[in-house]
Structures are given as structure tokens and as C-alpha cells.
């Protein structure tokens, strides 16, 4: 293992920044990201407001750190799942495991946007990596389906008006070469599973008498044509 060459001052700064972020996650869990307050965190830590601002110059800088951490952790979960090859079912289960383990992270990046906050390009690039992994899996699925059938009987099957729209509105795909039907497949997968997860994490299934995990599995089976 390489020695830690950071100075004691740098290590202390990193430690304090990590502690600030932990308090921030606690605030988000209790009142949502829009209520995030650096002055309140400073009070919890026994610091003055100006002292804390030496570690994060603004609320937006802190939010950017939190959003970056959230996207990176989900990207890592996706990357680990995809390391053995494209697997839509595996990605779906990885997403649910991550969301249940880190609900505050999930809601920060996929819940209601924080008023007045705009993520920098570096953050949206990480989010694009997550979508690229999903698009890779959908592309592999489409290739396998084509290989398993007669191409003459499958040409132009599944084309929709939305496919035509997506062919000319694909900025969200970050330059991924997937054809429009695959883009639609990825969006369908993404939105339906996020719909179930968002309702589950927000507690809307509480008291309804069924297992949300079974609902998620059923939605996934439907998406995969099982």
C-alpha cells in the first residue's frame, strides 16, 4: 500500500470536510436538501459560521460534493455489476439495493430538485456514466435478440413515433451510439423502475399490505418479458 503523503493539515481538513458532509446528510434525512444550512451544521459541530466556510465556501459547493458522492456511489455499484458483462436484471437489483441503503442519496439526485441549485458539468458527466452503463446493457440485449431471430422478420419491428423523436433528441444519451429503439428501451427501463423505487422510498406503499420487493420484481419481469 502506498504511504499517505498528505500533510497533517491536509488530513485534518479532509476529516473536517467529511464530518461536515455527514451532518449535511443528517439534515437532508430530516428536512430535505432544500433546508440544508451551513450555519446549522457549524452549530452542531461547535464551530462558527465563518470557520465552517473555510471548508465549504457556499451551500452550493457542499451540495455539489454530496451530489457527486451520490452519483459516484451509484456509478460504482453499476460498474461492479457490469464487470462480468451487460446484465439488465443485475443493474436493476443493484439500483434497488443502493437506493435502500442510501435513501438520502437517492432522493438528492432523483428527487425534487434543490431550488436555485444547478449542478456543474463534472457532476452531469458522472450521471452520464450511469446512463451509459444502462445503454450498453440495452444494446447488448438488442444484439442478442437480433442474433436469436431471423433478421428479415425483425426489421423495422418495434419502431414507434417516440423512436423517431428520440432519433433527433438524444443529447441525454451523451453521444452513445445506441439506435433509437434502444434509447427508448433504456428510458422505459429507467423510468418504470425509478417510479417504483421513488414510491417505495417515500413510504407510499406502507400499510398497503404487499411486499414492495415483490412489486419491483414483477415490474422487472415485465420489462424483461419473463
Amino acid at each position: 500500500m502506498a504511504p499517505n503523503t498528505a500533510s497533517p493539515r491536509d488530513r485534518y481538513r479532509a476529516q473536517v470536510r467529511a464530518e461536515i458532509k455527514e451532518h449535511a446528510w443528517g439534515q437532508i434525512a430530516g428536512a430535505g436538501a432544500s433546508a440544508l444550512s451551513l450555519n446549522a451544521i457549524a452549530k452542531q459541530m461547535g464551530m462558527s459560521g465563518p470557520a465552517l466556510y473555510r471548508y465549504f465556501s457556499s451551500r452550493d459547493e457542499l451540495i455539489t460534493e454530496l451530489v457527486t458522492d451520490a452519483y459516484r456511489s451509484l456509478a460504482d455499484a453499476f460498474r461492479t455489476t457490469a464487470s462480468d458483462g451487460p446484465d439488465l436484471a443485475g443493474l436493476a437489483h443493484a439500483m434497488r439495493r443502493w437506493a435502500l441503503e442510501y435513501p438520502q442519496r437517492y432522493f438528492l439526485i432523483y428527487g425534487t430538485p434543490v431550488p436555485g441549485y444547478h449542478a456543474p458539468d463534472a457532476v452531469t458527466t458522472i450521471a452520464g456514466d450511469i446512463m451509459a452503463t444502462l445503454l450498453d446493457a440495452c444494446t447488448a440485449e438488442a444484439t442478442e435478440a437480433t442474433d436469436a431471430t431471423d433478421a428479415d422478420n425483425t426489421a423495422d419491428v418495434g419502431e414507434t413515433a417516440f423512436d423517431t423523436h428520440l432519433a433527433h433528441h438524444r443529447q441525454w444519451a451523451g453521444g452513445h451510439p445506441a439506435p433509437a429503439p434502444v434509447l427508448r428501451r433504456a428510458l422505459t427501463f429507467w423510468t418504470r423502475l425509478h417510479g417504483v423505487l421513488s414510491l417505495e422510498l417515500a413510504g407510499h406503499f406502507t400499510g398497503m399490505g404487499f411486499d414492495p420487493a415483490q412489486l419491483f420484481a414483477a415490474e422487472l419481469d415485465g420489462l424483461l418479458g419473463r
Side-chain angles (χ1 to χ4, degrees):
M1 181 179 296
N4 187 347
T5 58
S7 68
R9 180 177 180 179
D10 288 341
R11 289 197 297 272
Y12 177 75
R13 179 178 177 80
Q15 179 181 340
V16 174
R17 283 172 61 89
E19 186 177 351
I20 291 170
K21 289 195 287 186
E22 285 302 313
H23 283 286
W25 285 122
Q27 279 193 5
I28 291 171
S34 61
L36 193 63
S37 167
L38 268 67
N39 287 330
I41 293 173
K43 185 176 180 180
Q44 288 176 315
M45 296 178 63
M47 301 170 63
S48 67
L52 188 141
Y53 277 87
R54 291 200 297 267
Y55 298 94
F56 288 98
S57 62
S58 66
R59 185 199 68 150
D60 281 5
E61 183 186 349
L62 176 56
I63 292 175
T64 294
E65 281 275 326
L66 299 175
V67 169
T68 300
D69 288 350
Y71 275 128
R72 279 179 177 161
S73 64
L74 179 56
D76 287 345
F78 266 33
R79 193 175 299 111
T80 298
T81 300
S83 62
D84 294 327
D87 178 7
L88 275 175
L91 292 178
H93 290 299
M95 184 168 68
R96 184 170 185 270
R97 286 193 301 270
W98 176 84
L100 292 176
E101 184 174 359
Y102 304 110
Q104 285 75 44
R105 296 185 182 189
Y106 179 90
F107 281 123
L108 180 61
I109 59 178
Y110 295 121
T112 303
V114 179
Y117 173 75
H118 300 284
D121 290 343
V123 172
T124 56
T125 297
I126 301 172
D129 291 342
I130 295 170
M131 184 57 72
T133 303
L134 175 60
L135 285 166
D136 286 344
C138 290
T139 300
E141 177 195 61
T143 300
E144 291 174 3
T146 299
D147 290 345
T149 57
D150 182 354
D152 291 338
N153 293 331
T154 58
D156 298 328
V157 171
E159 292 289 329
T160 69
F162 190 47
D163 291 334
T164 303
H165 175 78
L166 284 178
H168 302 285
H169 298 82
R170 52 187 302 144
Q171 296 92 332
W172 59 273
H176 196 283
V182 173
L183 297 181
R184 171 168 54 91
R185 172 68 163 154
L187 281 178
T188 300
F189 186 92
W190 194 243
T191 54
R192 282 179 59 177
L193 294 186
H194 271 301
V196 175
L197 278 175
S198 295
L199 289 169
E200 178 182 3
L201 292 174
H204 292 296
F205 297 147
T206 302
M208 293 182 71
F210 64 83
D211 182 359
Q214 295 292 325
L215 173 60
F216 188 87
E219 284 294 293
L220 179 57
D221 284 345
L223 285 165
L224 296 175
R226 294 174 177 172

